Amino acid sequence: MKILVTGGAGFIGSEFIRQSLRSEVAPRIINLDKLTYSGNLENLKAVETNPRYRFVRGDICDISTIDHVFSEERPEIVVHFAAESHVDRSILTPDPVIRTNVFGTFTLLEAARKHRVERFIHVSTDEVYGSIDEPCEANEDFPLKPSGPYSASKAGADLLVLSYLTTYNLPVILTRASNNYGPFQYPEKLIPLMISNALSDQPLPLYGDGNQVRDWLYVGDHCEALGAVIRRGRVGTTYNIGGNCRFSNREVVTRILEAIGKPLELIHTVDDRPGHDRRYAMCCEKIEKHTGWRAHTSFNDGLAATVQWYQDNPEWLKRVRSGDYETYYQRQYAHRFHVDEDD
Ligand code: NAD
Ligand code: TYD
């Protein structure tokens, strides 16, 4: 089996590659990644000399690069992770989000159609359903109601992917996962940011009242789900993938501080995110019915492993937080902490 992975130097894609190459019948993997701020080849140290692995630096929006890779490698399966993946950045700077997530997906779909791939797995998110009121849960037929540039771009890409099934009979499968956490996650998302700030005794910026609810999925479980979808998923089907683990942000941050042994006073309530979705909740029965997969990592175990990984890898964290990270952090949080100080 030959798999083209896009965005494999990022958080989830790199876990997918490491996990796939550990399996008994390991596929050949070609990892196409532009190496944006969140792409990091350090995440792939464990596999870089593996003969079944090849890295190609390239932009999914670049038609000639994509065409070249498809012609040269003739992948049977595409697993498409590459994206601008962060909501807050998409609010600050939407351009690359729309370009990569929508136009980049289109470019890949065209190449997949031309080169007749056997499966196109599109990795999407529960955010496309928008905020879901209690006690509702979104199943795969739930209407799409994205709230911001990131989720709207992912919803747009989802619809484009499905249109290639209907119009060109491209064998696509769409997956929508909830919030992932685990090792190697760039410290801009809630869990790694809070762990990283707590480890260095910096304030933990909790948006608004902190009662927003997310479902938390351990990244290893997510990648096992994608493996199950590749093996047993049905063409033309959308699968929700959740961790069966819903918590408020305040609860998550509290648990992080308890795990690290730092005081709750580090939590600072700050200015809210514009268009902040209150609650995500999905029903994930279909994937279990079709593939037998269900999440098996408890939040306690997943969080303990994640905290331990960040404690054990201060050099990774230091390198990731150097460069333009500080500039990003200032742009993102300066005005928010300012609100806190005024209170
Ligand atoms: P990430 O930001 O850690 O990684 C994204 C990767 O894509 C990086 O390696 C980056 O270099 C690469 N990339 C970005 N633009 C590119 C381009 N134009 N061409 C080629 N490569 C490019 O993101 P992640 O958290 O690993 O998310 C992976 C996918 O999973 C995304 O599609 C995201 O929407 C989806 N997803 C993420 C979560 C989550 O909680 N992180 C949840 C559900 C779905
Ligand atoms: P995030 O990890 O950015 O994922 P998403 O917005 O895709 O769900 O944020 C998760 C939740 O945590 C979300 O409700 C926003 C909140 N949050 C904070 O309260 N403070 C922060 O500094 C960040 C990054 C997120």
Side-chain angles (χ1 to χ4, degrees):
M1 190 161 55
K2 210 182 239 193
I3 304 182
L4 174 69
V5 170
T6 71
F11 163 53
I12 306 173
S14 66
E15 168 65 25
F16 178 81
I17 294 174
R18 292 188 306 269
Q19 196 179 98
S20 303
L21 290 174
R22 272 199 308 266
S23 73
E24 269 175 34
V25 273
R28 172 163 164 75
I29 291 188
I30 301 100
N31 172 19
L32 178 82
D33 196 299
K34 184 179 176 182
L35 299 183
T36 65
Y37 73 94
S38 69
N40 183 352
L41 290 180
E42 268 193 75
N43 301 354
L44 291 156
K45 272 240 167 309
V47 299
E48 67 187 4
T49 57
N50 188 314
R52 307 194 70 79
Y53 170 74
R54 176 184 173 200
F55 174 68
V56 179
R57 187 169 191 178
D59 185 338
I60 56 165
C61 300
D62 177 354
I63 295 166
S64 64
T65 303
I66 299 298
D67 200 50
H68 183 74
V69 172
F70 272 82
S71 302
E72 200 178 35
E73 293 284 354
R74 305 224 155 263
E76 288 137 7
I77 297 171
V78 175
V79 187
H80 175 33
F81 295 96
E84 288 290 337
S85 67
H86 187 38
V87 173
D88 292 319
R89 281 187 195 254
S90 85
I91 295 169
L92 273 180
T93 325
D95 302 34
V97 180
I98 306 304
R99 201 179 99 83
T100 288
N101 299 6
V102 183
F103 186 72
T105 301
F106 162 70
T107 306
L108 279 174
L109 286 167
E110 276 293 278
R113 175 165 85 92
K114 183 173 158 195
H115 294 275
R116 297 173 188 276
V117 301
E118 290 168 22
R119 288 285 182 284
F120 187 99
I121 316 286
H122 177 64
V123 180
S124 188
T125 164
D126 61 355
E127 304 197 20
V128 297
Y129 299 121
S131 199
I132 312 270
D133 288 337
E134 194 80 84
C136 221
E137 291 181 339
N139 66 16
E140 290 82 353
D141 300 320
F142 206 78
L144 305 189
K145 204 165 172 257
S147 314
Y150 167 67
S151 50
S153 71
K154 293 296 285 187
D158 285 13
L159 296 179
L160 204 52
V161 168
L162 292 173
S163 81
Y164 270 62
L165 170 78
T166 311
T167 307
Y168 303 112
N169 220 9
L170 187 75
V172 306
I173 298 180
L174 216 145
T175 62
R176 294 189 178 132
S178 59
N179 284 61
N180 282 222
Y181 69 102
F184 296 101
Q185 188 169 26
Y186 192 86
E188 63 186 353
K189 309 266 168 60
L190 181 76
I191 289 184
L193 177 83
M194 299 299 178
I195 294 175
S196 149
N197 281 15
L199 289 174
S200 50
D201 296 302
Q202 290 175 53
L204 274 51
L206 189 64
Y207 297 166
D209 62 10
N211 290 325
Q212 303 81 7
V213 171
R214 298 290 183 264
D215 176 75
W216 293 98
L217 172 65
Y218 192 65
V219 66
D221 285 1
H222 183 191
C223 293
E224 283 169 14
L226 294 171
V229 164
I230 290 171
R231 288 189 299 278
R232 294 185 290 276
R234 301 184 193 167
V235 167
T237 306
T238 299
Y239 293 106
N240 287 346
I241 305 177
N244 203 16
C245 249
R246 274 177 219 151
F247 295 110
S248 72
N249 295 336
R250 186 175 292 281
E251 172 75 21
V252 169
V253 173
T254 302
R255 285 188 186 216
I256 289 171
L257 286 169
E258 284 168 356
I260 299 180
K262 294 286 169 89
L264 294 184
E265 288 68 39
L266 278 178
I267 299 176
H268 285 234
T269 301
V270 299
D271 202 4
D272 208 351
R273 169 190 282 172
H276 197 171
D277 285 333
R278 196 74 189 156
R279 175 176 177 269
Y280 295 142
M282 287 191 295
C283 163
C284 300
E285 283 169 5
K286 200 202 281 185
I287 187 168
E288 187 169 358
K289 216 160 126 196
H290 287 195
T291 74
W293 176 90
R294 64 175 297 142
H296 60 81
T297 307
S298 70
F299 191 65
N300 271 346
D301 290 351
L303 190 63
T306 307
V307 166
Q308 190 65 53
W309 187 86
Y310 282 90
Q311 282 174 325
D312 291 345
N313 290 278
E315 292 304 320
W316 181 94
L317 198 52
K318 199 170 150 198
R319 279 191 288 278
V320 165
R321 289 188 66 146
S322 63
D324 62 5
Y325 184 85
E326 272 309 314
T327 317
Y328 159 75
Y329 195 83
Q330 286 306 321
R331 284 185 74 197
Q332 197 57 256
Y333 293 102
H335 73 280
R336 289 195 158 104
F337 279 115
H338 182 66
V339 167
D340 205 35
E341 282 155 18
D342 282 354
D343 281 344

